[in-house]
Amino acid sequence: MVASESPGTIRESFPDDFVFGVATSSWQIEGSSSTRSESIWDRFAKIPGAIVDGSTGDPACDHLNRVDEDLALISELGVGAYRFSVSWPRFMPGGTGTVAHSGAGFYDRLIDSLLERGVQPLLTAYHWDLPQSLQDEGGWLHPDMPRWFADYCHALGERYGDRVSHMATLNEPWVSAFLGYAAGIHAPGVVNSTQALEVAYRLMVASGHGIGALTDAGVSNPGIVLNLTTVRVDQPGAEKARDHIDRLQNTLFTDLLAGRGISDEVRDTTDILTDWSFVTDEGLEAAATPISWLGVNYYTPIRVGLPRDTDQATGVGQDTVVYPACPPASLRPRGPLTTMGWEVDPQGLRDTLVETAAALPGVPLWVTENGAAYADRVIDGDVYDPDRISYLTGHLGAAAEAISDGVPLQGYCAWSLLDNLEWAEGRTQTFGLVYVHPESMERIPKASYHFYADVAKGER
Ligand code: LGS
């Protein structure tokens, strides 16, 4: 009786072969921008006000010079996987053509050191730091971009495919398209909803070419990472907006991957902006190139309500501007909120995973990012972050429940190893399991790091 009532550890609620990991991305941690070419985020960061605290890509977390210390932190965390991204401007500074000896060598050493420590590397080819030279040519809107991206992916596969089984083409194409081209709050800072829709499509086409190139280069498990989330109605009357947001946030991407193309609903509701004539049969076929796994980044659900009074003049709630052609609505997160203003809802992760598994049956899933920003403080040399521990506990529980619902979930990566450069929020939002002092770069593992280490080691 007593034994069966014992709750067991978090680790025990997952299958034995389930992988716990931790994630980062190149621009957010590496620094050392003088040893690579310029990326669109370096250029964007120079626009006054684009990054709230004026941060630039330097020093970020000075990871390039502190990689041994960071590897030790990963090792001591006891995780089985480390998700990182390759900086395209470091690996292939011209955007196309020659691979840089020193840049590629950095990732060689990183990968080898991870493997020596028994940590599986998960490599993302593109986590938003496009070489500026390619942006100058037209970026993701350029007709040759799928070929340039495929060549880059092929070079990554040739160089690292013998040691890295899981590679993802893109991180969150939704963000590149809609925050980069509709809201204009991410690089390249364009505000043009028509272009945003086209970029979303073209990114998925390029990703399909990238998947093909990785496979040709011998990578056994090529995949992609999407930011998917469950979309809820908060008030009666917001159903149309909910459906619209769900389509542009989730199904636009999962439909393209599944070979269902771009639905009539998406075309009809966005035809005031674009006629989708740039969509071709070849493009749709490329976008549906089979993936062998899908990464899901989940942080919060989206809760859709009626427009706020102040926005009635335009008819569109300000927060929904990033969803082109959205019916009148606003986003209404319910507390408790993280410092990003995002609702904490573990059930949302379970729902998202179940919905994703239904949209892409048979595709193995990973949670490639999940975590929370809180205002951490160092007191007597320690960082006590109970809110983050509670966030992680809830979401790990939801991931385990999704597995019992039948979701083929293989791994979970906490975001993030380090407090880092949170894009337009600069250093003002901290998601790390490890605190990084903004000037000295000193690393201090937070209480959540020790918590997660216990989970990974099966002690919790
Ligand atoms: O640091 C980024 C994290 C932080 O939160 C990472 O580089 C990205 O891959 C990823 O987008 N990240 C992130 N996303 C959360 C998005 C939630 C948006 C919620 C909006 C609405 C209510």
Side-chain angles (χ1 to χ4, degrees), residues 298-313:
Y298 171 88
Y299 289 83
T300 185
I302 293 176
R303 205 177 279 282
V304 186
L306 299 173
R308 291 192 170 88
D309 291 348
T310 49
D311 298 324
Q312 271 171 3

Side-chain angles (χ1 to χ4, degrees), residues 25 28 127-128 171-172 175 297 299-302 331 342 369 415 420 422-423 431:
S25 90
Q28 293 180 275
H127 199 126
W128 309 348
N171 178 69
E172 302 189 348
V175 171
N297 292 352
Y299 289 83
T300 185
I302 293 176
L331 304 187
W342 298 338
E369 287 181 29
W415 183 270
N420 56 49
E422 183 46 45
W423 306 109
F431 284 82

Side-chain angles (χ1 to χ4, degrees), residues 20-24 74 77 79 81-84 368 412-418 433 452:
F20 292 91
V22 68
T24 63
I74 295 167
L77 191 54
V79 287
Y82 174 59
R83 173 174 178 244
F84 65 97
T368 32
Y412 170 99
C413 292
W415 183 270
S416 178
L417 176 67
L418 304 170
L433 301 178
Y452 195 55

Side-chain angles (χ1 to χ4, degrees), residues 198-379:
E198 183 169 347
V199 167
Y201 163 75
R202 290 191 182 278
L203 278 161
M204 294 306 287
V205 174
S207 174
H209 285 276
I211 296 281
L214 290 173
T215 307
D216 289 349
V219 175
S220 50
N221 292 295
I224 183 171
V225 172
L226 300 177
N227 55 315
L228 303 173
T229 188
T230 195
V231 188
R232 305 210 163 111
V233 174
D234 193 55
Q235 292 165 308
E239 292 79 6
K240 268 195 166 167
R242 190 220 80 92
D243 291 349
H244 182 83
I245 290 173
D246 185 36
R247 283 194 288 267
L248 291 189
Q249 177 79 41
N250 301 312
T251 41
L252 173 62
F253 298 93
T254 52
D255 276 355
L256 282 167
L257 285 175
R260 292 187 286 267
I262 295 174
S263 69
D264 289 345
E265 287 93 342
V266 168
R267 290 176 194 252
D268 291 348
T269 53
T270 56
D271 64 1
I272 52 163
L273 294 168
T274 184
D275 61 6
W276 292 95
S277 59
F278 47 80
V279 175
T280 63
D281 289 346
E282 298 76 48
L284 291 176
E285 198 184 322
T289 306
I291 49 173
S292 58
W293 65 287
L294 174 72
V296 176
N297 292 352
Y298 171 88
Y299 289 83
T300 185
I302 293 176
R303 205 177 279 282
V304 186
L306 299 173
R308 291 192 170 88
D309 291 348
T310 49
D311 298 324
Q312 271 171 3
T314 57
V316 177
Q318 212 176 349
D319 297 337
T320 57
V321 156
V322 292
Y323 299 96
C326 191
S330 66
L331 304 187
R332 309 225 161 202
R334 289 185 192 170
L337 306 178
T338 70
T339 51
M340 289 295 288
W342 298 338
E343 178 171 345
V344 177
D345 183 356
Q347 179 65 33
L349 173 60
R350 182 178 180 177
D351 294 345
T352 300
L353 291 171
V354 169
E355 288 161 18
T356 306
L360 290 163
V363 177
L365 305 183
W366 278 66
V367 172
T368 32
E369 287 181 29
N370 176 241
Y374 287 108
D376 306 308
R377 279 187 307 147
V378 184
I379 298 173

